Amino acid sequence: MKHTIEEFLINTFGFLPPELLVIVISAMPILELRGGIPLAHQLGFSFGEALFYGILGNLLPIIPILLLFRPVSKWMLRFSMYKRFYDWLYNRTMKKSNNVEKFGALGLILFTAVPLPTTGAYSASLAAILFFIPLKSAFLAIATGVVIAGVGIAGVMYMVF
């Protein structure tokens, strides 16, 4: 599925400069760094460039999510379709965020740093909101996790492939 999404985005946003394409794909939910850095590698970027653009793209949506999710959700919860989505998202995030609940901001680093499906900056942002972790602590923890994940993914991509 990830490959299909990545292909669709390349076909749709192929007119963008390669750097911006990596940023856009790294900013997308589900793909995040796991899609952006391999794309940068395919496009011939250096290790540093791939890491920079991937991390930048993955961090771009975090502050807006941390600031806007709660007020927008509060307003949207009056719609039953959104309520079902919110309940699903809440339950999924709560199932995956034991470390966040136990360790707070430190748990966010671990949650974000492990580059597995359904963990990453988006899920960590939602966990931070659900556990009322302050904005500054949440952003710093998520950014640290993104950097760790980015170095890991880029390391594998550039050493193995």
Side-chain angles (χ1 to χ4, degrees), residues 25-91:
I25 287 180
S26 296
M28 295 293 202
I30 301 170
L31 294 175
E32 298 186 42
L33 289 171
R34 296 174 296 270
I37 290 176
L39 174 63
H41 181 264
Q42 283 181 326
L43 293 172
F45 286 25
S46 70
F47 177 88
E49 290 173 322
L51 197 56
F52 175 76
Y53 292 119
I55 289 171
L56 176 64
N58 204 189
L59 291 178
L60 282 177
I62 303 312
I63 289 182
I65 291 170
L66 292 172
L67 289 173
L68 300 174
F69 184 79
R70 193 174 302 280
V72 169
S73 281
K74 186 177 179 181
W75 181 80
M76 294 284 293
L77 280 170
R78 60 191 178 139
F79 301 105
S80 63
M81 192 169 161
Y82 181 78
K83 171 95 171 88
R84 283 192 305 271
F85 168 73
Y86 181 87
D87 290 341
W88 169 82
L89 187 62
Y90 176 84
N91 291 326

Side-chain angles (χ1 to χ4, degrees), residues 59 62-63 66-67 100 103-112 121 124-129 131-146:
L59 291 178
I62 303 312
I63 289 182
L66 292 172
L67 289 173
V100 176
F103 301 112
L106 205 59
L108 280 177
I109 294 172
L110 298 172
F111 189 80
T112 310
S125 297
L126 295 176
I129 292 164
F131 292 115
F132 296 95
I133 297 172
L135 175 73
K136 185 176 178 182
S137 298
F139 181 76
L140 290 174
I142 293 167
T144 302
V146 166

